[in-house]
Amino acid sequence: MKWPPTLCWTAPKTINGNRHFQVKAYGGKNEDRWVDIFPTKNKKDIKRILWAKLKSEWTSGWIRLPQDKD
């Protein structure tokens, strides 16, 4: 997956009731790259995730999964 990261991501599981996230900022080099994300419902709840984890465990873009409810 190329750098810089896609701006929208779907978490592998619900995090504090949220599944869809947006990118706020990103940085670092090589193995130390990181991405700050926030849930679409709460722009103040920013989390930093290592790029390696984001690209290997999360889904790029927003997807609706069968277990997601309205």
Side-chain angles (χ1 to χ4, degrees), residues 50-69:
L50 290 177
W51 171 238
K53 183 174 183 171
L54 189 70
K55 69 180 183 176
S56 67
E57 297 178 16
W58 290 54
T59 302
S60 175
W62 291 337
I63 61 169
R64 184 177 174 100
L65 301 172
Q67 65 268 28
D68 290 344
K69 296 180 181 179

Side-chain angles (χ1 to χ4, degrees), residues 27-44:
K29 292 187 179 197
N30 301 321
E31 290 80 38
D32 294 327
R33 287 183 173 165
W34 52 265
V35 179
D36 286 345
I37 60 169
F38 62 89
T40 57
K41 297 178 183 177
N42 183 358
K43 294 182 180 183
K44 295 181 181 179

Side-chain angles (χ1 to χ4, degrees), residues 4-56:
T6 305
L7 297 180
C8 302
W9 291 84
T10 301
K13 61 182 179 181
T14 302
I15 300 172
N16 297 330
N18 299 293
R19 192 128 177 122
H20 299 112
F21 292 77
Q22 292 177 268
V23 172
K24 172 80 172 173
Y26 51 86
K29 292 187 179 197
N30 301 321
E31 290 80 38
D32 294 327
R33 287 183 173 165
W34 52 265
V35 179
D36 286 345
I37 60 169
F38 62 89
T40 57
K41 297 178 183 177
N42 183 358
K43 294 182 180 183
K44 295 181 181 179
D45 185 17
I46 299 171
K47 301 186 181 319
R48 181 162 288 182
I49 298 180
L50 290 177
W51 171 238
K53 183 174 183 171
L54 189 70
K55 69 180 183 176
S56 67

